[in-house]
Amino acid sequence: MIQRQPQNVYYYTELAGALLSDNRKEEAEKTLRQVERLGGQVSPCAQIAQFYLGRQMWGEANFYFEKALAEARGFRSLYVYQQYADSLARQRQFEKARDIYKKIFSFPQGRQYYYNLFSLYREWGRIDSLLADFGPEIKKMPFMMKQQLYQQLILGFKEQGDLQKAVHLYEDQPIHFTDPYLYQSVGEAYDGLQQYEKAANAFQEAITRQPNNQQWIQRLADTYWKWSQQVFKTGDLKTTETLLVKACKLQPINQQYHFELAKLYETGNEPRKAIQVYKDLADVTLSPSVKKSCEEQIKRLEKLADPTSGT
C-alpha cells in the first residue's frame, strides 16, 4: 500500500504499529522517520506524536509534539496544541498543560476547547483557580461557550461537595444564564445548603424553560415541602400553608403533602378546609389504601365540624 500511495501517512503509522507490536522498535522508528519527510496539511511530527500517544509512550509523544509545534505551520495547529496539552495532563504535568492552553486560548478559535480546559483543572483539583487563570480569555468567549463553561464549573464544585462555591459562582455571574440545566444544578446546590427559597427560584427558572419536565416539577414541589417544614418551626403558619398548597398543586397525588396540609388546617381549627384537602386527594389517588384513609379522615372531621350530625 505504501508503494501505491507513498504520501499516505496512515499506512506508515499502521506499518510502524505492526512492527512495534512485534517488538521491532528500531524498524518502527525508522518507518516513522520516513513520515517526517512527508509534506501535507497535517504536521507529520504531530501524527507521529499521536501514534506514540495512543500507545501511552509519553516521552516519545512529547518529543514529537514539541517538534511539531516548532515547525513553521505548528503554531496554527490548535488541534496539535490540544493533543499535546491532553498528553501532558494524562502525565499529570498540569502546570505545563496549563501553559499550553494559554497559547491555545490566545487564538479566538482556541476557545472551543473550553471543556478540555475545565477537564484539566478538574483532574488537577484546582477548578476554583480556572477563572482566575483564564479570566480575560473567558470574557472574550461566545455566550453559549461561556455559559457551558460556567455550567461545568458549578457541577464541578457540586461534585466536590463544595456547594457554597457553586452558588457563589452563580450569584457572582457576569451573564444571564438561559440553560435550564444550569438552573437545575443551582437549585440542587441551594437545596443542599437548605436555602429553600433560592432553590425554589432556581427550579422555577428551569421549569419556565422546560415546563413539561416532570422530574424538575417534583423537585420544586419537594423544595416547597422542605421549605414549609423550615418555616413551620418559626411559627409562621400562614407561610407554611402557602408553601404546602403550592406543593399539593404541583403534586396532586402526593399523600404526604396533602396530609400535612390537612393536619395544619385541623390544628388551626379549620376542619372544613382539611376536609376539602382530603377530598381533593381522594378524587385523584390511584391507591385504594390512600383513598380509604382519606374517607376515614373526612368522616372524622365532619363530626368535628358538625357535632350534631352524629346524634
Side-chain angles (χ1 to χ4, degrees), residues 275-304:
I275 289 171
Q276 188 58 53
V277 172
Y278 286 125
K279 284 183 177 180
D280 290 342
L281 179 58
D283 287 343
V284 297
T285 184
L286 300 177
S287 170
S289 61
V290 172
K291 188 175 185 68
K292 182 179 179 181
S293 295
C294 289
E295 291 170 347
E296 291 173 350
Q297 295 297 326
I298 290 169
K299 288 180 181 179
R300 180 181 64 81
L301 288 168
E302 283 178 339
K303 291 180 180 179
L304 290 176

Side-chain angles (χ1 to χ4, degrees), residues 136-238:
E137 293 84 355
I138 292 170
K139 285 181 180 179
K140 297 175 184 177
M141 288 172 60
F143 172 78
M144 292 305 295
M145 288 185 184
K146 190 184 302 182
Q147 178 173 243
Q148 288 300 315
L149 177 59
Y150 273 88
Q151 164 89 338
Q152 294 303 320
L153 287 167
I154 290 171
L155 286 173
F157 285 130
K158 278 182 59 192
E159 288 174 1
Q160 292 180 356
D162 200 337
L163 301 181
Q164 202 66 56
K165 283 186 179 179
V167 299
H168 279 166
L169 179 59
Y170 167 72
E171 290 170 354
D172 294 339
Q173 59 181 311
I175 57 177
H176 180 70
F177 295 120
T178 61
D179 186 347
Y181 292 96
L182 186 142
Y183 286 108
Q184 174 206 3
S185 299
V186 170
E188 290 171 350
Y190 278 127
D191 185 89
L193 293 168
Q194 298 184 4
Q195 297 181 29
Y196 298 123
E197 182 174 3
K198 291 181 177 180
N201 290 337
F203 284 129
Q204 189 61 65
E205 289 282 357
I207 293 169
T208 298
R209 291 161 175 78
Q210 282 194 15
N212 296 320
N213 191 311
Q214 294 303 312
Q215 182 182 1
W216 294 351
I217 292 172
Q218 172 61 58
R219 287 304 303 269
L220 178 59
D222 190 54
T223 299
Y224 281 137
W225 174 76
K226 286 187 281 190
W227 186 6
S228 75
Q229 306 306 294
Q230 192 179 65
V231 171
F232 179 77
K233 294 176 182 177
T234 69
D236 187 349
L237 302 184
K238 187 63 179 175

Side-chain angles (χ1 to χ4, degrees), residues 28-240:
E29 289 178 344
K30 183 178 179 181
T31 300
L32 290 172
R33 279 195 292 271
Q34 291 180 264
V35 175
E36 287 191 72
R37 295 194 292 269
L38 300 177
Q41 293 294 318
V42 180
S43 164
C45 286
Q47 297 202 42
I48 296 172
Q50 290 165 10
F51 169 83
Y52 283 121
L53 179 63
R55 289 159 178 80
Q56 298 186 6
M57 298 172 69
W58 310 119
E60 292 86 346
N62 292 349
F63 173 79
Y64 280 101
F65 274 128
E66 292 285 0
K67 286 195 70 172
L69 296 175
E71 295 170 354
R73 61 178 172 276
F75 78 96
R76 294 194 300 271
S77 183
L78 292 173
Y79 178 72
V80 177
Y81 273 114
Q82 194 279 318
Q83 287 287 296
Y84 186 29
D86 181 61
S87 174
L88 292 168
R90 288 161 68 178
Q91 298 169 65
R92 306 193 69 79
Q93 296 187 41
F94 297 120
E95 290 186 4
K96 195 170 182 179
R98 175 200 58 198
D99 294 342
I100 295 296
Y101 273 110
K102 279 289 185 180
K103 295 179 182 178
I104 292 172
F105 272 69
S106 67
F107 301 100
Q109 301 92 330
R111 295 162 196 158
Q112 64 184 297
Y113 294 111
Y114 67 90
Y115 184 78
N116 305 86
L117 177 66
F118 166 75
S119 297
L120 166 67
Y121 276 79
R122 181 175 56 189
E123 288 298 314
W124 195 357
R126 294 184 55 184
I127 61 174
D128 53 336
S129 300
L130 192 155
L131 291 177
D133 291 349
F134 285 83
E137 293 84 355
I138 292 170
K139 285 181 180 179
K140 297 175 184 177
M141 288 172 60
F143 172 78
M144 292 305 295
M145 288 185 184
K146 190 184 302 182
Q147 178 173 243
Q148 288 300 315
L149 177 59
Y150 273 88
Q151 164 89 338
Q152 294 303 320
L153 287 167
I154 290 171
L155 286 173
F157 285 130
K158 278 182 59 192
E159 288 174 1
Q160 292 180 356
D162 200 337
L163 301 181
Q164 202 66 56
K165 283 186 179 179
V167 299
H168 279 166
L169 179 59
Y170 167 72
E171 290 170 354
D172 294 339
Q173 59 181 311
I175 57 177
H176 180 70
F177 295 120
T178 61
D179 186 347
Y181 292 96
L182 186 142
Y183 286 108
Q184 174 206 3
S185 299
V186 170
E188 290 171 350
Y190 278 127
D191 185 89
L193 293 168
Q194 298 184 4
Q195 297 181 29
Y196 298 123
E197 182 174 3
K198 291 181 177 180
N201 290 337
F203 284 129
Q204 189 61 65
E205 289 282 357
I207 293 169
T208 298
R209 291 161 175 78
Q210 282 194 15
N212 296 320
N213 191 311
Q214 294 303 312
Q215 182 182 1
W216 294 351
I217 292 172
Q218 172 61 58
R219 287 304 303 269
L220 178 59
D222 190 54
T223 299
Y224 281 137
W225 174 76
K226 286 187 281 190
W227 186 6
S228 75
Q229 306 306 294
Q230 192 179 65
V231 171
F232 179 77
K233 294 176 182 177
T234 69
D236 187 349
L237 302 184
K238 187 63 179 175
T239 302
T240 302

